[in-house]
């Protein structure tokens, strides 16, 4: 076989292979050629990668934007200047009693942060309530916040907002309240409520049931009566924070009484066989009867009737103010029926001091209650001149009254 002949079958085989290959191509009509299929996959892969990159960039931008917004709220960045006064009432706080390492009990408060976040948001101080609550949870801010009324602004970041709503905050709204001498406990409560310091209900409940740690309250004033602090809420000018705790407010007034009623005064009262409660009760009677400059003379009448009894008075004080104290409303003039009311405060019906103070006396009346004038007075009456006139006998008093228009035309 020639070389040519030997190569021909190989060439034909090669041609047959191509034909066979052509046959395979023909048999694949209606589908994609393998080479073209691979090219489309590469194009789809490139598009997917591009979409993925765009998505990642978009999400990153979104998160970056949100992160900036959140950071701006947390750190008080780029906020419009704005100031607001917010109030956190006592009833959004819960109190838990804990003990320290030495076994001393104390109370820890916790604020309702949902309420706090709502108030801050409504007043335009924060934007992200959920973020503020999360921040407070991580920093234990709910334990720092205290009841009160606060001046806050948008320059404060989350940390500053919490700090400025704490017990010792300089942002608390302060109010000056003058408690007049001779005010009753109920009048004090109403005045404090009127000035936004505390509610009447909270003051009553605290006065009745909170065991204040002052020696002058021990053994004399049992818990349960909202008037048990009568006489000890010292009248003065006070600075209170708005929406304060009733315990803090009343304690401040009791502490002032403790300062005014000195140890020397307590020792002198004890030496005379009197208690602090006796002196405060006498002082309250003086305070409700005085016209302003006759405290020691009124004190003399009270002392003489109590401790130097005679047949004309029989130990009864006969002071109208004690009955006015138990009446629902004050009257211009007591009736005979009023003077027969069965009450331990009725000094027409019962001899001696009434059951307790009938008002909160000032310093002058407290001192007069311990230092009565050295006079033999048992009676007094208010004259047309607006001043009290004092007498040793009932006859002298009646004679004077007969000459006064204030009585005869009343």
């Amino acid at each position: 076989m020639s070389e040519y002949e030997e190569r021909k079958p190989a060439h034909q085989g090669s041609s047959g292979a191509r034909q066979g290959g052509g046959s395979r191509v023909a048999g694949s009509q209606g589908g994609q050629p393998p080479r073209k299929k691979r090219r489309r996959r590469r194009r789809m892969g490139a598009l997917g990668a591009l979409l993925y990159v765009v998505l990642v960039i978009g999400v990153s931008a979104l998160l970056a934007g949100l992160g900036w917004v959140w950071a701006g709220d947390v750190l008080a960045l780029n906020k419009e200047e704005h100031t607001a006064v917010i109030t956190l009432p006592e009833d959004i706080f819960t109190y838990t009693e804990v003990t320290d390492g030495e076994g001393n009990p104390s109370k820890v408060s916790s604020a309702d942060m949902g309420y706090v976040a709502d108030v801050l948001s409504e007043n335009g101080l924060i934007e992200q309530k959920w973020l503020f609550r999360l921040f407070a949870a991580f920093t234990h801010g709910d334990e720092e916040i205290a009841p009160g009324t606060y001046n806050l602004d948008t320059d404060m970041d989350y940390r500053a907002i919490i700090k400025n709503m704490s017990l010792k905050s300089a942002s608390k709204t302060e109010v000056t309240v003058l408690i007049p001498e001779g005010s009753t406990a109920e009048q004090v409560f109403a005045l404090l409520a009127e000035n936004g310091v505390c509610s009447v209900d909270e003051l009553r409940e605290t006065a009745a049931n909170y065991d204040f740690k002052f020696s002058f309250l021990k053994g004399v004033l049992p818990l349960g009566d909202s008037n048990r602090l009568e006489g000890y809420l010292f009248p003065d000018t006070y600075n209170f924070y708005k929406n304060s705790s009733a315990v803090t407010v009343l304690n401040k007034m009791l502490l002032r009484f403790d300062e005014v009623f000195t140890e020397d005064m307590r020792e002198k009262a004890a030496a005379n066989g009197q208690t602090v409660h006796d002196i405060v009760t006498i002082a309250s009677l003086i305070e409700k009867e005085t016209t302003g400059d006759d405290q020691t003379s009124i004190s003399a009448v009270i002392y003489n009737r109590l401790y130097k009894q005679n047949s004309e008075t029989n130990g009864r004080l006969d002071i109208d103010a004690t009955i006015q104290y138990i009446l629902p409303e004050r009257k211009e003039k007591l009736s005979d029926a009023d003077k027969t009311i069965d009450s331990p405060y009725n000094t027409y019906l019962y001899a001696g001091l009434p059951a307790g103070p009938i008002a909160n006396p000032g310093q002058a009346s407290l001192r007069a209650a311990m230092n009565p004038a050295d006079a033999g007075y048992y009676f007094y009456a208010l004259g047309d001149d607006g001043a009290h006139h004092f007498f040793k006998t009932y006859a002298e008093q009646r004679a004077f009254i007969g000459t006064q228009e204030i009585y005869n035309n009343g």
Side-chain angles (χ1 to χ4, degrees), residues 57-222:
I57 293 173
V59 170
S60 299
L62 176 63
L63 290 176
L66 287 174
W68 178 251
V69 170
W70 296 340
D73 204 40
V74 173
L75 301 174
L77 302 175
N78 301 318
K79 288 187 176 182
E80 292 185 9
E81 291 187 6
H82 173 63
T83 300
V85 178
I86 72 161
T87 296
L88 302 181
E90 182 75 30
D91 59 11
I92 72 162
F93 291 82
T94 57
Y95 294 88
T96 305
E97 190 166 293
V98 298
T99 55
D100 59 20
E102 299 178 355
N104 300 314
S106 62
K107 287 187 176 181
V108 175
S109 67
S110 178
D112 178 351
M113 295 310 297
Y115 180 96
V116 175
D118 285 342
V119 170
L120 294 174
S121 177
E122 289 167 4
N123 284 274
L125 296 168
I126 65 170
E127 296 173 0
Q128 310 298 326
K129 293 190 289 184
W130 68 271
L131 191 58
F132 179 81
R133 294 181 66 177
L134 184 63
F135 180 90
F138 275 104
T139 60
H140 301 288
D142 60 324
E143 296 178 5
E144 294 185 47
I145 295 174
T149 299
Y150 305 92
N151 285 305
L152 305 176
D153 59 60
T154 49
D155 287 335
M156 297 177 182
D157 59 18
Y158 282 6
R159 178 70 261 174
I161 288 175
I162 291 174
K163 182 179 179 181
N164 280 278
M165 293 190 295
S166 66
L167 191 61
K168 297 181 180 180
S169 168
S171 296
K172 272 193 169 183
T173 302
E174 214 171 34
V175 61
T176 301
V177 182
L178 171 63
I179 307 296
E181 296 173 344
S183 299
T184 64
E186 278 296 313
Q187 289 170 334
V188 171
F189 297 163
L191 191 56
L192 291 170
E194 180 183 323
N195 283 273
V197 176
C198 209
S199 72
V200 170
D201 287 344
E202 186 184 355
L203 288 163
R204 284 175 181 162
E205 194 280 331
T206 303
N209 300 310
Y210 190 86
D211 189 13
F212 291 94
K213 305 301 182 183
F214 291 96
S215 60
F216 53 81
L217 299 178
K218 300 301 180 185
V220 178
L221 303 168

